[in-house]
Amino acid sequence: MKMLLNPGQAAAVHDFDHDLLVTAGAGTGKTRVLTFKYLTLLKERRVEAPQIVAVTFTKKAADEMRARIREGIKSEIETCAPGERDFWLRQLEALETAAHISTIHGLCYSLLAEHPVEAGLDPGAEVMDEGEVYLLQSEAAEEALHLLLDGPHGREAAKVVLEQGVPFFTRDLVGIYHTLRESGQSLEEIWRISAENLKHGLAPVADVKATFCRSVEDFIVLGNSLPKITAKAKERLDELAAGWKPAKTVIMAAEVLEEELQAHLDWICSLLPRNTVRELKEPTNEIRACLETFRKTLVTKVAGEQLPLIREYLRIFAGEYRRRKEMAGRMDFGDQQILARDLLTNYPEIARSYQERFAYFLFDEVQDTNSLQWEILSKLIYANGVSHSKGRVFLVGDVKQSIYRFRGAEVEVITELASGFSSDSASNLLGGQGRTLILEENYRTLRPVADVINDLCKPIFSSEDYPFHPLVAVRSDEAADDPRVEMVIHEERRTEPA
């Protein structure tokens, strides 16, 4: 097995004294490093393939990793000493029959399949694809809405349905439920957090109205006092002053963000200048900020009033969805993760058996995981917060490539891990046994392109809690005078300055 690795890659592959978190930017060879790490565990540490857990984000990535490892093992079979041939043949067979190279959902399914009774799982249950999930959830959502409208709170529910629309219940709330369930939070915990956020985030509506109205009136007074102002700006200011009294009446009477109020707020915004004299810039920004606060306050107030009804709808929906899954003998990806988490939590002896069975863990795309998935992995790795042995965890990710927050990914997982891996405190997850490494040599991107990417991204990421690591392009097959980057700049239409 010939390893062509740069110094950073080699350090990541051969360090078995620390649990590692490797920050690998785009094109830095992370799949190569993961593959060589796996093969080095076989060759130098003499770990058996079934003792290694490799988790990737997609099935395609898992298949690619397995294919590369297969080629590496075949290469060893061809070149190894006669006494090692049986070992490598055994690894090749295990790779196809017993190796744990899969997505997190695939890993969870294998845990459940080994302990279906303890997990409370129907042995015949099958995992649904996205199409089946959508179909069952749609059926459950429609039935839940009918039951809600026919229930004791039907009149109140009908009012909310008319205000929010049917898709709010059958599409939006179901999507929120699906995302939250993927994160492993119970509905009870979600209600508690929602109620607290609404309680602490809701300012008195009367105070918000008064502040907004005062900001508009101060703006009108100030504008009329300025000696130099364009004719167009004066025209808009006069229009705002003339129409302000009826608009204020609607604003002060408003309790919900209904159509008439929205029309008046839009009218006020249309008369505010985008580019104006220095004296009016701050008052203009204050009006916009107060207006947004007013809108959010009304929406939050209504949400607080509707939360019990929403809670009842989701309770009915969850029951209908669960009943349909049981009737069909199906489970979704969220079920797999929650059942696996509960299995390892409720049966510590099972968790302990896995901690002793598995010798090493490789986890790719950590930036796209969530707290539930990391909790599952932690229960396989750590007993009472302590690793069974040091140097058995290898995590790879890149904060800059986190793009799946809309599907429940929590970038905070990797940032908190980075802090824990770098800390020497015995109270952190690794007890000071972690180490962070950075792969920054990019083999995919041409130097001019990498330079532009770095120049654009550095100021964007400068305000984040984690350091920005620029791409270091190492390709040398480019012509010095060959243009590689074209930028298209769109200039916003500007309004006439005041």
Side-chain angles (χ1 to χ4, degrees), residues 181-217:
R181 183 167 170 77
E182 283 278 320
S183 73
Q185 289 183 300
S186 66
L187 286 178
E188 290 73 19
E189 180 67 7
I190 293 167
W191 302 138
R192 185 188 66 78
I193 295 173
S194 298
E196 287 184 0
N197 289 342
L198 288 170
K199 178 180 178 181
H200 296 301
L202 185 61
V205 176
D207 292 349
V208 175
K209 291 177 183 177
T211 301
F212 174 51
C213 290
R214 187 166 55 250
S215 69
V216 175
E217 291 165 352

Side-chain angles (χ1 to χ4, degrees), residues 114-180:
E114 289 189 16
H115 304 280
V117 176
E118 293 87 344
L121 178 68
D122 180 354
E126 297 181 0
V127 181
M128 296 185 288
D129 59 31
E130 291 186 356
E132 291 176 295
V133 170
Y134 176 79
L135 180 62
L136 286 190
Q137 286 187 345
S138 297
E139 293 175 353
E142 291 182 7
E143 180 63 20
L145 188 56
H146 287 310
L147 293 173
L148 182 68
L149 293 170
D150 290 340
H153 305 290
R155 179 170 297 185
E156 180 185 355
K159 180 181 177 182
V160 176
V161 171
L162 288 174
E163 291 176 357
Q164 301 288 359
V166 171
F168 171 74
F169 287 85
T170 59
R171 183 190 62 201
D172 298 345
L173 288 182
V174 171
I176 293 172
Y177 168 88
H178 184 74
T179 299
L180 291 172

